[in-house]
Amino acid sequence: MTINYSFQEGQVGSFAIFDMSGRAVTQFVLPQGQQSLTIDQSTLSSGMYYYAFYVNGSLVKSEKMVISK
């Protein structure tokens, strides 16, 4: 799974995936100078999750996603 992103210079970004109970399953720091993050979804079981993008510690976007294998 590939996530595309962009943020302004000097900002710090992160991406997290949560299970339906709200427990963080995985978290990533989004390096400046890159514009995509590849996630190995083999570590995630099939099911429904939430993902969230943060910039400078503030939530920017959160939505549901489904992993189907």
Side-chain angles (χ1 to χ4, degrees):
M1 168 171 45
T2 301
I3 307 297
N4 296 313
Y5 64 89
S6 66
F7 48 86
Q8 297 177 354
E9 187 175 329
Q11 294 181 323
V12 177
S14 61
F15 178 82
I17 299 174
F18 302 90
D19 63 17
M20 293 305 289
S21 67
R23 183 179 58 95
V25 175
T26 187
Q27 298 180 18
F28 301 92
V29 173
L30 303 176
Q32 286 188 349
Q34 295 183 15
Q35 295 182 342
S36 66
L37 170 69
T38 301
I39 299 170
D40 179 7
Q41 63 188 21
S42 68
T43 60
L44 300 171
S45 300
S46 292
M48 188 168 300
Y49 296 86
Y50 285 96
Y51 70 83
F53 280 102
Y54 299 91
V55 175
N56 293 339
S58 296
L59 179 65
V60 174
K61 182 176 184 174
S62 178
E63 290 189 14
K64 290 181 185 178
M65 72 177 191
V66 177
I67 301 292
S68 178
K69 297 182 181 183

